[in-house]
Amino acid sequence: MKKIYEIRDIDCANCAIKIENEIKKVKGLKDVKIDFMRQKLYFDDEQNSMNPEKMQQIARHVESEVSIFNSKEDNKTQKKTITFNQISVILGIIIMGMMFVLQMLFGLNQHIKLIFYIASYVLIGGKVIIKAMKNIKKGKIFDENFLMMIATLGALIIGEYIEGVAVMLFYQIGEYFQNLSVHRSRKHIESLMDLKVDIAHLLIDENIKDVDPESLCINDMIVVKTGEKVPVDGYIIEGETYVDESSLTGESLPLYKTIDDEIMSGSINLNGILTIKVNKTYKDSRVYQIIEFVEQNTSKKAKTEQFITRFAKYYTPIVVLIAFILAFLIPVFASLINQSTYISELAIYFKRALIFLVISCPCALVLSVPLAFYAGIGMASKKGVLVKSGSDLETLHQIEHFIFDKTGTLTKGEFIVTKVYAENKDYILKLASHAESGSNHPIALSILRAYKGEIETKNLKNYHEIFGQGIKVNYLDKALLVGNQKLLKDNHINFDIPDIKQTVIHVAYDLKYVGYIVLEDDLKMSSKETIKNLQKMNKHISMVTGDQDYIAKDIAGKLGIIDIYAKQLPEDKKNLVMDFSKHRKTAFIGDGINDAMVLLSADIGISMGTLGSDVAIEASDVVIMNDEPFKLIEAIHISTFTNKIVIQNILLALITKFVVLGLGTFGLANMWMAIFADVGISLIAVINSMRILRK
Ligand code: ADP
Ligand code: MG
């Protein structure tokens, strides 16, 4: 039994992986997966032995604050806005404030002040200390909680009370802002998830029955009322309306749709009542595929992020070691040099070591990098571009060579049958449509649109789609060929090649040539601008297509692309892209019809969301929801900006850290500088990352 639980209060993607591994150990559970961004836990509970409480217990072995509950029920817990920790911190601040007031009014004595300090320290830093203790018990000593704890406890011991409390306070404020910005990135991505519809109104003999969209079959009729989302893909057979596809495509302009128009699941019916004929089951519909796609996005970490995690692992113990040397060993030498006592030098260096520790906390580094990538992914999805992982977002702006597919990518792929050359025009269309009835290729769809008759499926046998060439099938037990000249030549059909500058589809039946159909395809609205922009960025641009030379040249000419490769079968395209990838970082941009392999061979595979098949979407790293190539440029900008922010954050953190660390070692930094170097920089990094969301 497949189950989905909500999982809240996981601190980081890394912790999510740890929890996932812990749950995987439980017997009887399969396919365990945690989606950190969406805060969901997926698993297959074979014996149906799990409940949220049990699961929560298991997860709390790893992270003590995690809460797990059923997706549908306990949504109240989700809405809790103030956590126990926040209340505790606020209380701590109040006590601190009270002390200052009392101090001014009555002048408190040292002992009473100490009680106030300790009370507020415990209230403000309690969570950090508990976490650090727990980690020590588990043997994972060196993390930021540990650094914070020893540094602040040390500050209290040497009598720097205000500083000790302040470090904790600022650290908590930094954490709060981080959570806030993860939350905001999350919301952008979640708005995609809202696409899912729970109920479909199925039409049975003029009666409406509410059913689960997953139970709908092809050719079912459903009703979508005003303001509702379309549950599965289909065609409108009654009604007209404006639809809002913004959560799918990022484009806010409503689109007019009427009878015979295709309507995408997830789009919102703004102002009409529609009857829709289902043409895809729920699992084949857009919505399901998007949800699947987004669910894969947490596992792959960006390289910078991996580097930082590794860095932190070695960095923290080294820092603690240096602090230790600074506190206890250096005083030995200092006392010799200065001819003073060890104890008096210890007092000086112990304090320096504490300052050193506060400064050294790598929080800003460790946290701001993934944060920026999340924000970037969130922003891209808001604009209608799905990016699978931080790693893909990182790579995107480094791409030097963009290789475009032609049909469906740069052109609309909505061919229009413009001419038919044959003795019997209805007959050739009938033959062609029968052959194409099983294909999803844009050419197939347009031929089927041009044909008005019925398809006799039972007369078709031995169907073969030869990618990049066409269809071979037995119709009424005789061989039927529909495709380009190569297909017919390979099957030894003789005919004269017509001199036509458009896409030509030849038809042969029973080993005899029947005639050909001429199709025309248009450029997409933003193709030209996209190429222009890429050229401005000095990128290499190529176009590959399975189509004939003259068509390739014609299209490439209109776009200003010089490097073209025509008559390429999917296999050839793959080899070509792999070849290019040896020299430069490449991206392949395809419509996703028969080019899943090619998508995988590029550094980044980009596919078109509405045209592409689910295999293609699965195989790609980036999906453009509304099929407009210009979204690529927007995605590159987001990638560039995100990476800029990441680098700024890293540099800012490292430089400040090293400067203040240096000053600290020589006793030139005080606790307040240390606080700024740590918490201040974390905060600036978080705020800097949030700029991505505002773009
Ligand atoms: P592109 O590389 O431009 O996306 P494809 O590789 O999908 O094009 O197809 C290349 C050529 O193969 C088409 O231009 C067409 O001539 C032929 N072809 C492919 N699939 C079909 C089909 N289903 N029916 C007819 N012809 C097809
Ligand atoms: Mg194609």
PDB file of all heavy atoms in Angstrom, residues 405-407 436 439 441 443 465 468-471 482-484 505 545-547 573 594, ligand 1:
ATOM      1  N   ASP A 405      16.922  20.891 -31.492  1.00  0.00           N
ATOM      2  CA  ASP A 405      16.159  20.066 -32.397  1.00  0.00           C
ATOM      3  C   ASP A 405      15.292  21.044 -33.200  1.00  0.00           C
ATOM      4  O   ASP A 405      15.084  22.166 -32.773  1.00  0.00           O
ATOM      5  CB  ASP A 405      15.297  19.122 -31.544  1.00  0.00           C
ATOM      6  CG  ASP A 405      14.500  18.167 -32.382  1.00  0.00           C
ATOM      7  OD1 ASP A 405      15.050  17.654 -33.368  1.00  0.00           O
ATOM      8  OD2 ASP A 405      13.333  17.924 -32.032  1.00  0.00           O
ATOM      9  N   LYS A 406      14.838  20.625 -34.361  1.00  0.00           N
ATOM     10  CA  LYS A 406      14.048  21.574 -35.139  1.00  0.00           C
ATOM     11  C   LYS A 406      12.550  21.442 -34.854  1.00  0.00           C
ATOM     12  O   LYS A 406      11.947  22.307 -34.218  1.00  0.00           O
ATOM     13  CB  LYS A 406      14.300  21.401 -36.639  1.00  0.00           C
ATOM     14  CG  LYS A 406      13.474  22.354 -37.499  1.00  0.00           C
ATOM     15  CD  LYS A 406      13.692  22.127 -38.974  1.00  0.00           C
ATOM     16  CE  LYS A 406      13.044  20.875 -39.502  1.00  0.00           C
ATOM     17  NZ  LYS A 406      11.585  20.913 -39.605  1.00  0.00           N
ATOM     18  N   THR A 407      11.991  20.308 -35.318  1.00  0.00           N
ATOM     19  CA  THR A 407      10.544  20.162 -35.264  1.00  0.00           C
ATOM     20  C   THR A 407      10.045  20.121 -33.822  1.00  0.00           C
ATOM     21  O   THR A 407      10.514  19.313 -33.029  1.00  0.00           O
ATOM     22  CB  THR A 407      10.124  18.864 -35.981  1.00  0.00           C
ATOM     23  OG1 THR A 407      10.890  18.760 -37.163  1.00  0.00           O
ATOM     24  CG2 THR A 407       8.651  18.862 -36.278  1.00  0.00           C
ATOM     25  N   GLU A 436      -0.606   6.520 -39.407  1.00  0.00           N
ATOM     26  CA  GLU A 436      -0.172   7.450 -38.360  1.00  0.00           C
ATOM     27  C   GLU A 436      -0.986   7.341 -37.080  1.00  0.00           C
ATOM     28  O   GLU A 436      -0.666   7.994 -36.080  1.00  0.00           O
ATOM     29  CB  GLU A 436      -0.250   8.901 -38.859  1.00  0.00           C
ATOM     30  CG  GLU A 436       0.627   9.240 -40.057  1.00  0.00           C
ATOM     31  CD  GLU A 436       2.104   9.327 -39.723  1.00  0.00           C
ATOM     32  OE1 GLU A 436       2.506   8.882 -38.623  1.00  0.00           O
ATOM     33  OE2 GLU A 436       2.873   9.826 -40.564  1.00  0.00           O
ATOM     34  N   SER A 439       0.887   6.975 -33.841  1.00  0.00           N
ATOM     35  CA  SER A 439       2.085   7.777 -33.578  1.00  0.00           C
ATOM     36  C   SER A 439       1.743   9.088 -32.888  1.00  0.00           C
ATOM     37  O   SER A 439       0.655   9.634 -33.064  1.00  0.00           O
ATOM     38  CB  SER A 439       2.814   8.061 -34.893  1.00  0.00           C
ATOM     39  OG  SER A 439       3.809   9.035 -34.686  1.00  0.00           O
ATOM     40  N   HIS A 441       3.983  11.638 -33.211  1.00  0.00           N
ATOM     41  CA  HIS A 441       4.829  12.610 -33.891  1.00  0.00           C
ATOM     42  C   HIS A 441       3.975  13.767 -34.400  1.00  0.00           C
ATOM     43  O   HIS A 441       2.846  13.564 -34.836  1.00  0.00           O
ATOM     44  CB  HIS A 441       5.541  11.916 -35.049  1.00  0.00           C
ATOM     45  CG  HIS A 441       6.722  12.684 -35.553  1.00  0.00           C
ATOM     46  ND1 HIS A 441       6.600  13.733 -36.423  1.00  0.00           N
ATOM     47  CD2 HIS A 441       8.047  12.553 -35.299  1.00  0.00           C
ATOM     48  CE1 HIS A 441       7.808  14.223 -36.680  1.00  0.00           C
ATOM     49  NE2 HIS A 441       8.705  13.516 -36.013  1.00  0.00           N
ATOM     50  N   ILE A 443       3.962  15.283 -37.069  1.00  0.00           N
ATOM     51  CA  ILE A 443       3.494  15.027 -38.440  1.00  0.00           C
ATOM     52  C   ILE A 443       2.271  14.126 -38.408  1.00  0.00           C
ATOM     53  O   ILE A 443       1.269  14.373 -39.093  1.00  0.00           O
ATOM     54  CB  ILE A 443       4.626  14.375 -39.268  1.00  0.00           C
ATOM     55  CG1 ILE A 443       5.729  15.405 -39.494  1.00  0.00           C
ATOM     56  CG2 ILE A 443       4.097  13.822 -40.580  1.00  0.00           C
ATOM     57  CD1 ILE A 443       6.890  14.909 -40.312  1.00  0.00           C
ATOM     58  N   GLU A 465       7.041   2.020 -35.864  1.00  0.00           N
ATOM     59  CA  GLU A 465       7.419   3.414 -36.083  1.00  0.00           C
ATOM     60  C   GLU A 465       8.929   3.447 -36.202  1.00  0.00           C
ATOM     61  O   GLU A 465       9.645   3.027 -35.285  1.00  0.00           O
ATOM     62  CB  GLU A 465       6.953   4.291 -34.923  1.00  0.00           C
ATOM     63  CG  GLU A 465       7.425   5.733 -35.069  1.00  0.00           C
ATOM     64  CD  GLU A 465       6.514   6.756 -34.402  1.00  0.00           C
ATOM     65  OE1 GLU A 465       5.591   6.364 -33.680  1.00  0.00           O
ATOM     66  OE2 GLU A 465       6.742   7.968 -34.621  1.00  0.00           O
ATOM     67  N   GLY A 468      12.591   8.950 -36.990  1.00  0.00           N
ATOM     68  CA  GLY A 468      13.330   9.753 -37.961  1.00  0.00           C
ATOM     69  C   GLY A 468      12.995   9.418 -39.402  1.00  0.00           C
ATOM     70  O   GLY A 468      13.567   9.994 -40.322  1.00  0.00           O
ATOM     71  N   GLN A 469      12.111   8.468 -39.627  1.00  0.00           N
ATOM     72  CA  GLN A 469      11.764   8.098 -41.003  1.00  0.00           C
ATOM     73  C   GLN A 469      10.266   8.022 -41.260  1.00  0.00           C
ATOM     74  O   GLN A 469       9.770   8.607 -42.210  1.00  0.00           O
ATOM     75  CB  GLN A 469      12.405   6.750 -41.360  1.00  0.00           C
ATOM     76  CG  GLN A 469      13.912   6.827 -41.354  1.00  0.00           C
ATOM     77  CD  GLN A 469      14.550   5.573 -41.922  1.00  0.00           C
ATOM     78  OE1 GLN A 469      13.928   4.809 -42.650  1.00  0.00           O
ATOM     79  NE2 GLN A 469      15.801   5.366 -41.581  1.00  0.00           N
ATOM     80  N   GLY A 470       9.565   7.307 -40.420  1.00  0.00           N
ATOM     81  CA  GLY A 470       8.127   7.213 -40.635  1.00  0.00           C
ATOM     82  C   GLY A 470       7.540   5.921 -40.120  1.00  0.00           C
ATOM     83  O   GLY A 470       8.054   5.346 -39.164  1.00  0.00           O
ATOM     84  N   ILE A 471       6.448   5.475 -40.769  1.00  0.00           N
ATOM     85  CA  ILE A 471       5.696   4.330 -40.254  1.00  0.00           C
ATOM     86  C   ILE A 471       5.655   3.205 -41.279  1.00  0.00           C
ATOM     87  O   ILE A 471       5.501   3.458 -42.487  1.00  0.00           O
ATOM     88  CB  ILE A 471       4.230   4.735 -39.961  1.00  0.00           C
ATOM     89  CG1 ILE A 471       4.156   6.038 -39.164  1.00  0.00           C
ATOM     90  CG2 ILE A 471       3.490   3.594 -39.282  1.00  0.00           C
ATOM     91  CD1 ILE A 471       4.551   5.932 -37.734  1.00  0.00           C
ATOM     92  N   VAL A 482       4.507   5.032 -44.799  1.00  0.00           N
ATOM     93  CA  VAL A 482       4.222   6.471 -44.757  1.00  0.00           C
ATOM     94  C   VAL A 482       5.402   7.161 -44.083  1.00  0.00           C
ATOM     95  O   VAL A 482       5.671   6.910 -42.909  1.00  0.00           O
ATOM     96  CB  VAL A 482       2.925   6.766 -43.971  1.00  0.00           C
ATOM     97  CG1 VAL A 482       2.676   8.260 -43.895  1.00  0.00           C
ATOM     98  CG2 VAL A 482       1.736   6.070 -44.611  1.00  0.00           C
ATOM     99  N   GLY A 483       6.116   7.987 -44.849  1.00  0.00           N
ATOM    100  CA  GLY A 483       7.270   8.646 -44.244  1.00  0.00           C
ATOM    101  C   GLY A 483       8.092   9.403 -45.259  1.00  0.00           C
ATOM    102  O   GLY A 483       7.590   9.749 -46.338  1.00  0.00           O
ATOM    103  N   ASN A 484       9.350   9.648 -44.928  1.00  0.00           N
ATOM    104  CA  ASN A 484      10.171  10.441 -45.849  1.00  0.00           C
ATOM    105  C   ASN A 484      10.786   9.579 -46.946  1.00  0.00           C
ATOM    106  O   ASN A 484      10.599   8.360 -46.980  1.00  0.00           O
ATOM    107  CB  ASN A 484      11.214  11.241 -45.080  1.00  0.00           C
ATOM    108  CG  ASN A 484      12.106  10.359 -44.224  1.00  0.00           C
ATOM    109  OD1 ASN A 484      12.162   9.145 -44.420  1.00  0.00           O
ATOM    110  ND2 ASN A 484      12.789  10.981 -43.272  1.00  0.00           N
ATOM    111  N   ILE A 505       5.656  14.102 -47.136  1.00  0.00           N
ATOM    112  CA  ILE A 505       5.478  12.741 -46.623  1.00  0.00           C
ATOM    113  C   ILE A 505       4.956  11.857 -47.750  1.00  0.00           C
ATOM    114  O   ILE A 505       3.917  12.146 -48.358  1.00  0.00           O
ATOM    115  CB  ILE A 505       4.488  12.736 -45.436  1.00  0.00           C
ATOM    116  CG1 ILE A 505       5.051  13.549 -44.271  1.00  0.00           C
ATOM    117  CG2 ILE A 505       4.190  11.303 -44.984  1.00  0.00           C
ATOM    118  CD1 ILE A 505       6.369  13.059 -43.721  1.00  0.00           C
ATOM    119  N   THR A 545      18.341  17.996 -37.137  1.00  0.00           N
ATOM    120  CA  THR A 545      16.988  17.611 -37.488  1.00  0.00           C
ATOM    121  C   THR A 545      16.993  16.351 -38.332  1.00  0.00           C
ATOM    122  O   THR A 545      17.971  16.044 -39.001  1.00  0.00           O
ATOM    123  CB  THR A 545      16.262  18.738 -38.263  1.00  0.00           C
ATOM    124  OG1 THR A 545      15.005  18.249 -38.702  1.00  0.00           O
ATOM    125  CG2 THR A 545      17.074  19.201 -39.451  1.00  0.00           C
ATOM    126  N   GLY A 546      15.907  15.619 -38.221  1.00  0.00           N
ATOM    127  CA  GLY A 546      15.764  14.436 -39.054  1.00  0.00           C
ATOM    128  C   GLY A 546      15.213  14.799 -40.416  1.00  0.00           C
ATOM    129  O   GLY A 546      15.080  13.954 -41.301  1.00  0.00           O
ATOM    130  N   ASP A 547      14.906  16.068 -40.573  1.00  0.00           N
ATOM    131  CA  ASP A 547      14.278  16.535 -41.794  1.00  0.00           C
ATOM    132  C   ASP A 547      15.295  16.709 -42.931  1.00  0.00           C
ATOM    133  O   ASP A 547      16.492  16.600 -42.721  1.00  0.00           O
ATOM    134  CB  ASP A 547      13.595  17.879 -41.493  1.00  0.00           C
ATOM    135  CG  ASP A 547      12.207  17.920 -42.089  1.00  0.00           C
ATOM    136  OD1 ASP A 547      11.945  17.118 -42.984  1.00  0.00           O
ATOM    137  OD2 ASP A 547      11.408  18.773 -41.662  1.00  0.00           O
ATOM    138  N   LYS A 573      21.835  11.852 -33.925  1.00  0.00           N
ATOM    139  CA  LYS A 573      21.774  13.042 -33.065  1.00  0.00           C
ATOM    140  C   LYS A 573      22.515  12.767 -31.766  1.00  0.00           C
ATOM    141  O   LYS A 573      23.247  13.607 -31.256  1.00  0.00           O
ATOM    142  CB  LYS A 573      20.313  13.387 -32.734  1.00  0.00           C
ATOM    143  CG  LYS A 573      19.486  13.875 -33.909  1.00  0.00           C
ATOM    144  CD  LYS A 573      18.113  14.306 -33.395  1.00  0.00           C
ATOM    145  CE  LYS A 573      17.131  14.538 -34.526  1.00  0.00           C
ATOM    146  NZ  LYS A 573      15.762  14.758 -34.047  1.00  0.00           N
ATOM    147  N   ASN A 594      10.657  11.191 -29.570  1.00  0.00           N
ATOM    148  CA  ASN A 594      11.754  10.288 -29.938  1.00  0.00           C
ATOM    149  C   ASN A 594      13.172  10.859 -29.762  1.00  0.00           C
ATOM    150  O   ASN A 594      14.070  10.495 -30.496  1.00  0.00           O
ATOM    151  CB  ASN A 594      11.547   9.678 -31.337  1.00  0.00           C
ATOM    152  CG  ASN A 594      11.655  10.667 -32.501  1.00  0.00           C
ATOM    153  OD1 ASN A 594      12.479  11.577 -32.488  1.00  0.00           O
ATOM    154  ND2 ASN A 594      10.825  10.479 -33.492  1.00  0.00           N
TER     155      ASN A 594
HETATM  156  P1  ADP B   1      13.177  16.526 -36.084  1.00  0.00           P
HETATM  157  O1  ADP B   1      14.590  16.097 -35.945  1.00  0.00           O
HETATM  158  O2  ADP B   1      13.044  17.712 -36.962  1.00  0.00           O
HETATM  159  O3  ADP B   1      12.489  16.715 -34.765  1.00  0.00           O
HETATM  160  P2  ADP B   1      12.278  13.777 -36.443  1.00  0.00           P
HETATM  161  O4  ADP B   1      13.590  13.139 -36.179  1.00  0.00           O
HETATM  162  O5  ADP B   1      11.220  13.595 -35.425  1.00  0.00           O
HETATM  163  O6  ADP B   1      12.413  15.324 -36.826  1.00  0.00           O
HETATM  164  O7  ADP B   1      11.741  13.242 -37.820  1.00  0.00           O
HETATM  165  C1  ADP B   1      12.509  13.409 -39.010  1.00  0.00           C
HETATM  166  C2  ADP B   1      11.733  13.096 -40.229  1.00  0.00           C
HETATM  167  O8  ADP B   1      11.302  11.726 -40.228  1.00  0.00           O
HETATM  168  C3  ADP B   1      10.479  13.900 -40.395  1.00  0.00           C
HETATM  169  O9  ADP B   1      10.727  15.127 -41.005  1.00  0.00           O
HETATM  170  C4  ADP B   1       9.632  12.983 -41.274  1.00  0.00           C
HETATM  171  O10 ADP B   1      10.016  13.146 -42.635  1.00  0.00           O
HETATM  172  C5  ADP B   1      10.026  11.605 -40.828  1.00  0.00           C
HETATM  173  N1  ADP B   1       9.094  11.085 -39.825  1.00  0.00           N
HETATM  174  C6  ADP B   1       9.349  10.870 -38.513  1.00  0.00           C
HETATM  175  N2  ADP B   1       8.271  10.363 -37.877  1.00  0.00           N
HETATM  176  C7  ADP B   1       7.307  10.301 -38.815  1.00  0.00           C
HETATM  177  C8  ADP B   1       5.932   9.879 -38.785  1.00  0.00           C
HETATM  178  N3  ADP B   1       5.325   9.445 -37.672  1.00  0.00           N
HETATM  179  N4  ADP B   1       5.246   9.950 -39.938  1.00  0.00           N
HETATM  180  C9  ADP B   1       5.813  10.380 -41.063  1.00  0.00           C
HETATM  181  N5  ADP B   1       7.084  10.799 -41.156  1.00  0.00           N
HETATM  182  C10 ADP B   1       7.825  10.755 -40.046  1.00  0.00           C
END
